[in-house]
Amino acid sequence: MAVSVAHRNFGNSLPHVPFSASGDSAIQEVKDQIRQAMRPARLAKISQASTFIERMEQPQPGDEAQVSITALIAEGNKLAKQLEQILKVEKPERLELLQQVIQPYLQLVESGECCKFTGHRLHDIWRYFRYLWPSPAEPTPGRTMLYLVRDAAQPYHPVIGIASLENAALQSPDRDAFFDGQ
């Protein structure tokens, strides 16, 4: 079954997804179509932030940060090889080995606080990695708590994820209609 998603700006509304098929491939197809529909808005946001992105990737003399933000991106191939080796080990020993390879922790992003490994402001680090999501970065009203998920097992404690806790919008006609089945 071909699943279609209308090409539109998803700013404050949910896409209409006529979906009656089930299964991983159908779900993946819908996800891919939604990502493709959001791509132009996402690329526009990235284009608007190009000066910020360049500054994060190439700090200049006199900047607080003297290390590129790319230092906070783990070496994926190295990590993949380490994990492949761990899979070959008997189960009782795997957890201990995993704890040596990956040591995740949450870091609350507080206003004005800087990364002790790179000198970048934590908020700028979160913002940089937000641009890597498939959906366009949009400001949200209300209180927001931002978190970096970091890996203490690697140099510079690279970012392995980001998260945010936000107040839900009190009224959202598009959301409410979606959940009401309209």
Side-chain angles (χ1 to χ4, degrees), residues 34 64 76 100 161:
I34 291 171
E64 282 186 51
Q100 293 172 14

Side-chain angles (χ1 to χ4, degrees), residues 59-164:
Q60 301 299 309
D63 288 351
E64 282 186 51
Q66 293 299 304
V67 177
S68 172
I69 188 75
T70 59
L72 295 179
I73 300 172
E75 295 180 42
N77 291 335
K78 177 183 172 188
L79 182 59
K81 287 178 186 175
Q82 290 173 315
L83 294 174
E84 285 173 10
Q85 293 301 314
I86 291 172
L87 280 175
K88 296 176 185 176
V89 175
E90 294 296 321
K91 283 190 178 184
E93 299 172 43
R94 282 187 193 166
L95 182 57
E96 184 178 325
L97 292 171
L98 278 172
Q99 290 172 336
Q100 293 172 14
V101 173
I102 301 174
Q103 298 170 10
Y105 66 94
L106 282 177
Q107 182 176 30
L108 176 63
V109 174
E110 298 192 77
S111 181
E113 191 174 331
C114 291
C115 172
K116 66 181 179 181
F117 304 104
T118 65
H120 288 289
R121 290 180 354 152
L122 294 180
H123 187 269
D124 288 346
I125 293 170
W126 194 95
R127 179 180 170 205
Y128 178 89
F129 283 102
R130 174 59 179 95
Y131 286 116
L132 299 178
W133 283 5
S135 60
E138 296 287 344
T140 54
R143 289 185 298 169
T144 301
M145 294 175 63
L146 306 177
Y147 290 91
L148 298 170
V149 183
R150 309 226 15 207
D151 183 2
Q154 305 295 324
Y156 295 106
H157 293 203
V159 174
I160 57 176
I162 62 173
S164 67

Side-chain angles (χ1 to χ4, degrees), residues 1 6-7 16 29-30 35 47-49 52 54 67 81 113-114 117 129 134 161 164-165 173 177:
M1 169 188 157
H7 179 78
H16 175 68
E29 184 179 343
V30 169
R35 284 185 188 112
S47 178
Q48 292 169 0
F52 166 77
E54 185 177 306
V67 177
K81 287 178 186 175
E113 191 174 331
C114 291
F117 304 104
F129 283 102
S164 67
L165 298 174

